[in-house]
Amino acid sequence: MNLRPILALLLAATVVSSHVALAQDKGSVNPKPLPPLANPNDPKLGAKELFGRKVLPAAAPARVVGFYAKGCIAGAEALPINGENWQVMRLSRNRNWGHPDLVALVARLAVQARKEAGWPGILVGDMSQPRGGPMLTGHASHQAGLDADIWLTPMPNRRFSREEREETSAVMMVRADRLDIDPRVWTPTHLNVIRAAARDPGVQRIFVNAAIKKALCREARGDRSWLNKVRPMYGHDYHFHIRIKCPRGSGECESQAEPPESEGCSAGDLAYWFRDSVLRPKPPVAPPKPRPPMTLAQLPDACKAVLAAPDAKQ
């Protein structure tokens, strides 16, 4: 059975239920450590409980295992919390890890944001956990060290304090009726930053709210070939989500199919996202039963070794 369509549906469901809030959830300057697990060998234990307790990457060369929504990473690299053109937000989550290709991509985009949009730099949200894998909150994807969230709020011309990184919220880009961007906050510079990311040859897809995709389709001029990489997805009102391709030589990495070559800007392409049933879904008659968490046994076997590997020296 091909699990890829099922994973895609699970990804969408998780985004609907938690990702919208997650992007704005505030953190803590003094987060409490997670309590030890009573039975870490329980086969029914959610893998997120195990991966969420790893604070350092596995001591191994960079190695991506599995799919974006079902995988892990060894030898992950941390994006420094401060760069000349970027700052990492929500430090308490410890999710500024990724494959070296992703870290390099974020650094390149930070420079491009200054060059092409005049932003001082970018604010970086969640990437992956130190060993990837499923997370305790939000995100069905971000498991393989190949995804990064970039806030649609420019970096300020000063360094945020630790408190500000946990308390500051990104700016909502979508109009209250959900049918278009909010013209009070959306500017041409937002298009410039997303375009710069989409033009990077290492980028596989970019996810944005459908209203943002609609605005990009309307406002893009000149070469529009990059628009095919920008795909509508639930949430993503405050940030855009970059997904890079499987790194060269990563035989255990499961790539996603290339996006369609068309711009994805026709009325038919966007119609689904602006249906009333999608914008304002009715609550179910009965509360849905929570899905059982993904267990370690459901992840690629290599992820067990990644989880058991010693910590990398920092």
Side-chain angles (χ1 to χ4, degrees), residues 114-191:
R114 176 184 286 272
K115 180 180 177 181
E116 298 195 19
W119 287 15
I122 57 175
L123 299 177
V124 183
D126 285 355
M127 292 169 59
S128 288
Q129 298 177 130
R131 303 192 191 200
M135 296 181 178
L136 288 165
T137 56
H139 300 307
S141 62
H142 290 253
Q143 291 193 29
L146 305 177
D147 296 279
D149 289 341
I150 307 298
W151 285 23
L152 284 165
T153 303
M155 187 185 84
N157 271 314
R158 63 179 180 85
R159 184 167 292 180
F160 274 140
S161 68
R162 180 65 188 266
E163 289 80 4
E164 288 173 312
R165 294 179 198 235
E166 302 294 347
E167 295 286 332
T168 302
S169 294
V171 177
M172 162 65 93
M173 291 287 135
V174 179
R175 210 165 65 191
D177 63 6
R178 316 292 294 162
L179 295 175
D180 211 326
I181 49 88
D182 185 342
R184 296 172 299 177
V185 293
W186 175 266
T187 72
T189 67
H190 291 94
L191 181 150

Side-chain angles (χ1 to χ4, degrees), residues 4 7-9 11-12 15 19 23 67-69 109 126 139-143 146-152 173-174 186 190 193-195 197-198 203-214 216 226-245 255-260 270 273:
R4 191 61 49 74
L7 286 171
L9 289 173
L11 171 60
V15 167
H19 196 78
F67 189 57
Y68 302 92
L109 177 60
D126 285 355
H139 300 307
S141 62
H142 290 253
Q143 291 193 29
L146 305 177
D147 296 279
D149 289 341
I150 307 298
W151 285 23
L152 284 165
M173 291 287 135
V174 179
W186 175 266
H190 291 94
V193 172
I194 295 173
R195 180 179 61 196
V203 170
Q204 212 271 349
R205 270 176 172 73
I206 290 176
F207 298 113
V208 297
N209 182 280
I212 294 174
K213 170 71 176 185
K214 180 179 178 180
L216 296 173
W226 55 274
L227 283 166
N228 78 308
K229 289 187 182 180
V230 184
R231 317 305 298 177
M233 181 53 69
Y234 301 98
H236 300 86
D237 308 352
Y238 305 82
H239 70 277
F240 64 99
H241 174 159
I242 296 175
R243 171 166 292 171
I244 68 169
K245 300 175 181 178
S255 62
Q256 189 170 8
E258 288 298 310
L270 295 172
W273 298 97

Side-chain angles (χ1 to χ4, degrees), residues 217-291:
C217 290
R218 181 176 62 234
E219 298 172 11
R221 299 290 182 267
D223 175 22
R224 293 168 57 93
S225 61
W226 55 274
L227 283 166
N228 78 308
K229 289 187 182 180
V230 184
R231 317 305 298 177
M233 181 53 69
Y234 301 98
H236 300 86
D237 308 352
Y238 305 82
H239 70 277
F240 64 99
H241 174 159
I242 296 175
R243 171 166 292 171
I244 68 169
K245 300 175 181 178
C246 282
R248 187 174 300 175
S250 298
E252 297 168 290
C253 179
E254 298 178 34
S255 62
Q256 189 170 8
E258 288 298 310
E261 292 184 3
S262 66
E263 293 179 356
C265 290
S266 72
D269 290 328
L270 295 172
Y272 165 81
W273 298 97
F274 295 105
R275 293 176 184 172
D276 192 64
S277 59
V278 174
L279 294 176
R280 289 168 282 275
K282 294 181 179 179
V285 176
K289 294 182 179 179
R291 289 189 180 90

Side-chain angles (χ1 to χ4, degrees), residues 3-4 6-11 14 37 40 42-52 65-72 129 131-136 138-144 254 290-301 303-304 307:
L3 294 177
R4 191 61 49 74
I6 297 174
L7 286 171
L9 289 173
L10 288 174
L11 171 60
T14 302
L37 295 169
D42 182 352
K44 296 182 181 179
L45 182 69
K48 64 184 180 181
E49 299 290 346
L50 299 168
F51 280 96
V65 179
F67 189 57
Y68 302 92
K70 189 179 180 182
C72 60
Q129 298 177 130
R131 303 192 191 200
M135 296 181 178
L136 288 165
H139 300 307
S141 62
H142 290 253
Q143 291 193 29
E254 298 178 34
R291 289 189 180 90
M294 183 184 297
T295 64
L296 191 60
Q298 292 172 305
L299 289 170
D301 288 342
C303 287
K304 298 177 184 177
L307 197 60

Side-chain angles (χ1 to χ4, degrees), residues 104-116:
L105 179 279
V106 172
R108 288 198 302 273
L109 177 60
V111 173
Q112 290 298 103
R114 176 184 286 272
K115 180 180 177 181
E116 298 195 19

